[in-house]
């Protein structure tokens, strides 16, 4: 079924070691939330989904490495560089 096909793709193809700026907020609610939801929906059978979620969360945490604790809008999942758009001041 589609769920198992998606699980297989995630296990064998999803890699967060990408030199790409990502929205910290969108990545948290969509990618991280999706991985944890898939783990729950699988009946907690695929612990590697949690491992992938932890890998992503560790990379997203760099967005919070600010003097105020308020996260920057984007974070590069490979380089750990985090920034706000110029329009954000």
């Amino acid at each position: 079924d589609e769920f198992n096909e998606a699980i297989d793709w995630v296990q064998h193809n999803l890699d967060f070691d990408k030199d790409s700026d990502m929205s910290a907020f969108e990545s948290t609610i969509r990618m991280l939330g999706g991985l944890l939801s898939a783990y729950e929906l699988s009946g907690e059978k695929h612990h590697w989904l949690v491992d992938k979620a932890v890998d992503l969360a560790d990379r997203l945490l760099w967005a919070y490495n600010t003097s105020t604790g308020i996260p920057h809008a984007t974070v590069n999942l490979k380089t750990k560089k985090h920034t706000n758009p110029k329009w954000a001041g």
Side-chain angles (χ1 to χ4, degrees):
D1 72 334
E2 288 181 35
F3 181 78
N4 288 322
E5 286 179 35
I7 289 289
D8 185 62
W9 186 91
V10 168
Q11 183 176 21
H12 296 102
N13 298 293
L14 186 62
D15 177 19
F16 296 117
D17 196 31
K18 304 288 184 199
D19 190 4
S20 178
D21 293 336
M22 307 290 288
S23 165
F25 174 75
E26 294 294 336
S27 298
T28 299
I29 67 168
R30 299 186 194 287
M31 297 183 342
L32 187 59
L35 288 167
L36 295 174
S37 294
Y39 174 67
E40 180 66 26
L41 288 170
S42 76
E44 301 179 1
K45 291 189 294 188
H46 302 291
H47 195 328
W48 56 264
L49 286 164
V50 175
D51 296 336
K52 287 208 181 257
V54 169
D55 176 39
L56 176 59
D58 287 345
R59 294 167 188 273
L60 291 171
L61 274 175
W62 285 98
Y64 291 84
N65 189 17
T66 65
S67 60
T68 64
I70 298 171
H72 283 149
T74 62
V75 61
N76 185 300
L77 298 181
K78 185 170 188 161
T79 67
K80 303 174 186 171
K81 180 182 174 193
H82 46 93
T83 60
N84 277 325
K86 293 186 188 322
W87 55 263

